[in-house]
Amino acid sequence: MNSTKLPAPRTFLGSKIFPALLCAATGLGISACSSPTNTTHSTQVPSSTHEVSSAADSAIPRLKVHIENTLPFDATAFTQGLEVDGDRLLVSTGWKGESRIFHRSLDGVNTDEHNLDPEFFGEGSTRFNDVVWQLTWQSGVAFKRDAETLVELQRVTYPGEGWGLCSFNDTLVMSDGTNELRFLNGDTFEETSRIAVTRAGLPATSLNELACTTDNGVNYVWANVFLSTDIYKINATTGVVEAIVDASDVPNNATDDPNHVLNGIAAIPGTDKFYITGKRWPDLYEVRFVNAQP
């Protein structure tokens, strides 16, 4: 069989970016974005299926962002991971030679800061019990850290790329840029299972920074979509995208650079609110996601 594959992500100004921007931005399946030059094996979907998928997609609830408060953030942070940890934030950043992890108070003070070695491009992070796990993009290395000091305790390896990371009480959830979410043992980082994420029946790709929440006993993963202002609400059991947040109205006050996109979502425990930010954004927004339909 002739397999049509999306080219591997390449470095663009130090960041991960796909040659097929439309594919990443829309979250369509690989076949829907593939080059037509491969004619040996057709990957076209019948028009009737497109019509069904389009109708199903339009039925997914749309949410918009209501900004409750704006706080100062670290405009030098190429944000890859954002999480609320007690009365502070856990922040991990990317870019080779600049990747780091730190705690940040809501009034804007960074503490417990640790730099990664220059060969690592840092990615998402999450706290699990008394440790923090931090991903790297293409090195296949995860750092296990003390949750209070963020001092490195151990390094483990994993296959493929590391993008986003969040946690429930009994598991870690990891994204790798595809339409799959990996579930990992929070003590060892060993993979226990995976689910495929779908949007109206099609693969929902380019899942990036993550936040984990539980609502009425149902676990959800909220995922930034790479190169997009969309955020997916994903049922962590079924993998179905149950809502799409349009965050295009959120002000991006970062310096003008194609890498400085929305990336960073953290649920605020005990509320229905989130913090969101972006790569080298000077602002952290406290928000609610509200119904976009009239």
Side-chain angles (χ1 to χ4, degrees):
M1 178 183 293
N2 178 38
S3 174
T4 306
K5 294 183 179 179
L6 186 69
R10 61 184 179 184
T11 300
F12 174 74
L13 300 179
S15 174
K16 57 178 183 284
I17 189 165
F18 286 123
L21 298 184
L22 179 61
C23 184
T26 59
L28 291 174
I30 291 174
S31 62
C33 300
S34 299
S35 167
T37 56
N38 262 331
T39 56
T40 313
H41 175 249
S42 174
T43 56
Q44 288 187 330
V45 181
S47 59
S48 59
T49 305
H50 279 303
E51 292 165 3
V52 171
S53 298
S54 177
D57 193 75
S58 65
I60 299 174
R62 260 57 175 186
L63 306 176
K64 61 183 180 180
V65 176
H66 181 267
I67 298 175
E68 304 266 321
N69 194 16
T70 303
L71 301 168
F73 202 59
D74 185 343
T76 69
F78 197 76
T79 305
Q80 303 284 37
L82 182 71
E83 187 169 279
V84 177
D85 182 12
D87 60 356
R88 62 192 175 183
L89 298 170
L90 173 67
V91 183
S92 55
T93 77
W95 208 271
K96 285 189 175 181
E98 299 181 21
S99 296
R100 54 197 165 112
I101 189 168
F102 55 90
H103 288 126
R104 182 177 177 85
S105 66
L106 293 179
D107 58 0
V109 178
N110 293 355
T111 59
D112 308 314
E113 189 161 338
H114 297 271
N115 296 323
L116 272 64
D117 293 337
E119 68 265 28
F120 293 115
F121 191 114
E123 289 284 344
S125 59
T126 191
R127 177 168 182 166
F128 185 85
N129 295 332
D130 295 329
V131 301
V132 162
W133 288 99
Q134 180 186 14
L135 298 171
T136 55
W137 176 24
Q138 293 181 316
S139 300
V141 173
F143 297 90
K144 188 178 188 179
R145 300 180 179 276
D146 179 87
E148 293 304 319
T149 64
L150 300 182
V151 169
E152 181 183 335
L153 302 175
Q154 183 185 3
R155 297 185 186 186
V156 301
T157 60
Y158 55 86
E161 296 187 355
W163 286 40
L165 197 63
C166 69
S167 57
F168 295 107
N169 290 334
D170 58 350
T171 189
L172 307 178
V173 185
M174 172 181 161
S175 64
D176 58 12
T178 69
N179 73 308
E180 291 188 327
L181 292 175
R182 308 182 193 185
F183 294 87
L184 312 170
N185 183 296
D187 297 317
T188 65
F189 215 73
E190 293 177 353
E191 183 175 332
T192 58
S193 63
R194 296 190 185 201
I195 58 169
V197 179
T198 58
R199 171 177 168 172
L202 297 176
T205 60
S206 302
L207 307 176
N208 203 2
E209 218 275 299
L210 308 178
C212 290
T213 65
T214 302
D215 185 10
N216 292 321
V218 180
N219 289 339
Y220 292 97
V221 176
W222 300 77
N224 284 118
V225 180
F226 185 50
L227 297 180
S228 168
T229 53
D230 283 350
I231 299 170
Y232 289 160
K233 181 183 180 181
I234 303 162
N235 186 305
T237 300
T238 65
V240 172
V241 174
E242 293 192 0
I244 300 171
V245 181
D246 176 5
S248 59
D249 289 337
V250 176
N252 178 349
N253 294 316
T255 56
D256 189 18
D257 187 304
N259 289 302
H260 295 172
V261 295
L262 178 79
N263 195 53
I265 177 170
I268 303 176
T271 76
D272 62 349
K273 297 189 288 186
F274 294 80
Y275 291 120
I276 60 174
T277 189
K279 299 179 180 183
R280 299 201 177 107
W281 283 24
D283 306 302
L284 176 76
Y285 298 100
E286 180 182 343
V287 304
R288 279 191 172 90
F289 300 143
V290 299
N291 195 341
Q293 279 83 9

